[in-house]
């Protein structure tokens, strides 16, 4: 929105806070010096922050991704999506134990999400070498969604 704040004293400092549900909050201090100046504040929604975090992960910009995920969390973005992207970030950074911890915790709340079990199985099979855990997670995937390729993969393990 556009707002006009009247009766500001020149050469004074003001605390400004921009808030909107499901958007990040921006707090700043400004020095009011000229009545013709315009203050522009751009706030992003939790979903926008998650989209940008996904792009930062794709581009291997780890610090930006971490910052965006933190901002998304603070903006009240979808918890499952935020944690899933945190798991992807850890995996892309080759922090497999951290990725497994995040994704396994997510399965406690996202019980009908077969993709989580497949991702966890991939990490166990291809990165940690734990075939027993890979098998267990492939079985959990198949219990939720049948896929002949996954079934074949399980048999071959």
């Amino acid at each position: 929105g556009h707002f006009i704040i009247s009766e500001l004293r020149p050469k004074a400092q003001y605390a400004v806070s921009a808030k909107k549900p499901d958007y990040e909050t921006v707090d700043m201090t400004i020095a009011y010096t000229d009545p013709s100046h315009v203050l522009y504040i751009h706030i992003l929604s939790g979903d926008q922050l998650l989209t940008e975090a996904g792009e930062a992960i794709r581009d291997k910009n780890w610090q930006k991704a971490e910052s965006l995920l933190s901002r998304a969390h603070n903006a009240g973005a979808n918890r499952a999506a935020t944690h899933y992207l945190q798991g992807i970030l850890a995996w892309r950074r080759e922090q497999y134990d951290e990725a497994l911890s995040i994704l396994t915790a997510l399965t406690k709340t996202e019980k009908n999400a077969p993709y989580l079990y497949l991702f966890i199985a991939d990490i166990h099979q291809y990165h940690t070498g734990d075939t027993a855990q890979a098998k267990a997670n492939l079985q959990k995937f198949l219990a939720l969604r049948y896929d002949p390729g996954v079934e074949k993969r399980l048999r071959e393990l």
Side-chain angles (χ1 to χ4, degrees), residues 4-122:
I4 296 174
I5 303 171
S6 57
E7 301 180 22
L8 296 177
R9 294 185 325 256
K11 298 182 182 175
Q13 292 211 359
Y14 293 91
V16 177
S17 182
K19 296 179 183 183
K20 182 178 178 180
D22 300 322
Y23 280 72
E24 65 184 329
T25 297
V26 174
D27 294 307
M28 65 179 67
T29 301
I30 61 165
Y32 177 69
T33 57
D34 185 335
S36 67
H37 287 171
V38 174
L39 174 63
Y40 178 76
I41 303 172
H42 183 77
I43 60 175
L44 299 174
S45 71
D47 288 342
Q48 290 169 314
L49 291 162
L50 288 176
T51 297
E52 287 193 21
E55 291 168 0
I57 292 169
R58 180 198 65 214
D59 297 340
K60 298 181 180 181
N61 190 337
W62 310 139
Q63 289 179 330
K64 182 177 181 182
E66 284 178 356
S67 172
L68 289 163
L69 287 170
S70 175
R71 288 169 57 194
H73 172 76
N74 292 337
N78 179 292
R79 182 189 169 283
T82 302
H83 287 286
Y84 185 68
L85 285 175
Q86 288 171 329
I88 290 174
L89 176 60
W91 170 71
R92 292 285 307 267
R93 294 175 90 173
E94 299 180 4
Q95 298 170 337
Y96 303 122
D97 289 339
E98 182 179 345
L100 287 169
S101 176
I102 292 166
L103 297 169
T104 301
L106 191 54
T107 65
K108 307 297 184 239
T109 57
E110 302 299 311
K111 297 185 186 306
N112 295 319
Y115 64 90
L116 281 173
Y117 296 109
L118 189 58
F119 191 12
I120 292 168
D122 289 348

